[in-house]
Amino acid sequence: MTDTNDMIEQSPPGLMSKIIRFAAMIALGLVFVYALGFLVGVSAAALDNGRLTLKTVGLLLGCLAVLGLSGYGFYRLWPRRDREEPVSPKVERTRWSLIAALGLGMAIGVALTIPMLSGESGGVFSNDPIPATTALSIVIAYAVLTPIGSYFWHRNADEFEREASGRGALLGMYAYSVVAPSWWLLERADLVPEQDPMIVFLLVMTVWGVVWQIRRSD
Amino acid sequence: MNNRLKVLRAMNDWSQAELAAQLDVSRQAVNAIETGKHDPSLPLAFRIARLFNMPIEEIFDDGHE
C-alpha cells in the first residue's frame, strides 16, 4: 500500500535532459577512475621511494578530493527513486550484475592508469605499449568475467530491460557498420589518420549504452 | 496497444514499484507498459491478468473489435 502522492505520476524528463544526465554520469565516472588510478599510482610510487614528501601528500589529498567530489556527483545523479522502491529478487540480481560490470570497468581503468603515471603509457585509451603482465591480467579478467556477467544478466533481466539493451546493441551495430568502413575508405584516400580500434569501440559502446539507458528510463 | 494497467493499479492503491515487484519485473517495465512504450510478452500479459484476476482482453486492447 502507498500514499496518494506516490500514485501521482511525475512528468517524465525530456530527451535532452536525459542525454545531459547520462553524459555527466559518464564524465564523472571517468574522472573517478582516473583519480582512483592516480591515487593508486602515487601511493605505490611513495611506497617504492620509502618517503612521503609534501608534494606527495598534496597529490594524495588532491586525488581524494577529486574522488570524493566525482563520487558524490555520480551518487547525486543516480536515479534516486530507484533506491527507495521495493524490487523483486530477480531485478535485484540484475542490478548487482550491472554494478559488478561497473566495478570491473573501474578496475580495468585503474589498472590502465598506473602505467601512465610511470610514463610507460600516454593514457587509459592510448595505443602506447604497456607491460605484458598488465595486458595479460586485464585480458584474462575481461575475457573471462564479461561472458559470465553477461550470462548472469541475461538470465535475470526482465523482458523490457532486454529489449532496451537489444535496441541499443542494434543501433551500436549500425554505428559500427557506418563508422568502420567509412573511416577505412577515408584512411585509404589519406584524408584521415589511421583507424583507431579503441575509438571505434568506445563509439559503439557509447551508442549502445546511451540508447539502452534512454530507452529504459521513464 | 492500449491497456488499463494504470487504472487497475490505482484501484488497488499500488505504486508502480509495488506492482513491478509482484510481477517480478522492474518499475521501468511497468511504466513502459502503462505508457504504451512496451507491449508485454504473452507470459507477462498472463501474469498481469492472473494478478488482477481478469481476462487478458479486459486489460489489453489492440483496437480490433
Side-chain angles (χ1 to χ4, degrees):
Chain A
M1 299 287 269
T2 183
D3 63 36
T4 315
N5 287 339
D6 206 22
M7 305 297 296
I8 299 167
E9 306 305 323
Q10 292 175 348
S11 57
L15 181 66
M16 205 58 211
S17 68
K18 285 181 191 174
I19 292 172
I20 291 169
R21 186 191 188 100
F22 293 132
M25 285 178 77
I26 289 168
L28 285 171
L30 284 173
V31 169
F32 188 88
V33 166
Y34 267 99
L36 196 58
F38 205 77
L39 186 74
V40 172
V42 171
S43 307
L47 285 172
D48 278 351
N49 293 338
R51 62 194 175 92
L52 203 62
T53 63
L54 197 62
K55 186 184 168 187
T56 309
V57 172
L59 281 171
L60 289 173
L61 288 175
C63 283
L64 286 172
V66 173
L67 266 176
L69 285 172
S70 55
Y72 179 71
F74 193 90
Y75 168 79
R76 292 289 299 176
L77 286 172
W78 193 268
R80 188 164 295 270
R81 195 174 165 184
D82 284 359
R83 287 197 300 270
E84 297 155 356
E85 58 197 22
V87 289
S88 71
K90 212 170 177 182
V91 174
E92 192 69 39
R93 287 197 291 271
T94 310
R95 288 184 184 174
W96 276 110
S97 58
L98 285 177
I99 290 168
L102 196 67
L104 176 66
M106 282 177 59
I108 290 173
V110 170
L112 283 170
T113 307
I114 294 168
M116 186 181 85
L117 295 172
S118 55
E120 292 176 89
S121 161
V124 172
F125 299 115
S126 88
N127 293 320
D128 295 336
I130 55 171
T133 47
T134 304
L136 282 171
S137 312
I138 291 172
V139 166
I140 289 168
Y142 188 69
V144 171
L145 295 178
T146 304
I148 294 171
S150 301
Y151 173 77
F152 187 76
W153 184 85
H154 279 277
R155 289 264 303 175
N156 290 293
D158 66 49
E159 59 180 55
F160 176 62
E161 188 84 50
R162 286 199 305 270
E163 190 269 338
S165 169
R167 186 171 295 199
L170 179 66
L171 285 172
M173 190 65 219
Y174 282 141
Y176 178 77
S177 68
V178 169
V179 171
S182 301
W183 194 337
W184 174 68
L185 283 169
L186 293 172
E187 179 193 329
R188 289 179 66 186
D190 212 16
L191 292 169
V192 295
E194 189 181 348
Q195 187 162 147
D196 188 327
M198 276 314 288
I199 291 177
V200 178
F201 170 76
L202 287 172
L203 182 82
V204 170
M205 297 305 280
T206 302
V207 170
W208 181 4
V210 168
V211 172
W212 175 5
Q213 291 307 312
I214 286 174
R215 174 74 185 150
R216 77 182 287 278
S217 63
D218 293 341
Chain B
M1 190 179 293
N2 298 320
N3 66 74
R4 296 176 57 212
L5 196 59
K6 191 172 177 177
V7 175
L8 294 170
R9 177 172 65 78
M11 283 166 65
N12 283 278
D13 199 21
W14 290 333
S15 68
Q16 286 184 339
E18 286 166 338
L19 174 58
Q22 293 184 75
L23 293 171
D24 205 15
V25 296
S26 62
R27 185 193 57 76
Q28 286 84 358
V30 167
N31 183 67
I33 295 168
E34 285 186 356
T35 54
K37 194 172 160 184
H38 175 71
D39 288 332
S41 65
L42 266 179
L44 180 55
F46 272 109
R47 286 213 302 277
I48 292 168
R50 271 196 293 271
L51 183 66
F52 290 110
N53 202 21
M54 293 171 78
I56 286 180
E57 58 268 30
E58 282 188 24
I59 303 173
F60 297 98
D61 175 19
D62 67 352
H64 287 277
E65 289 301 318

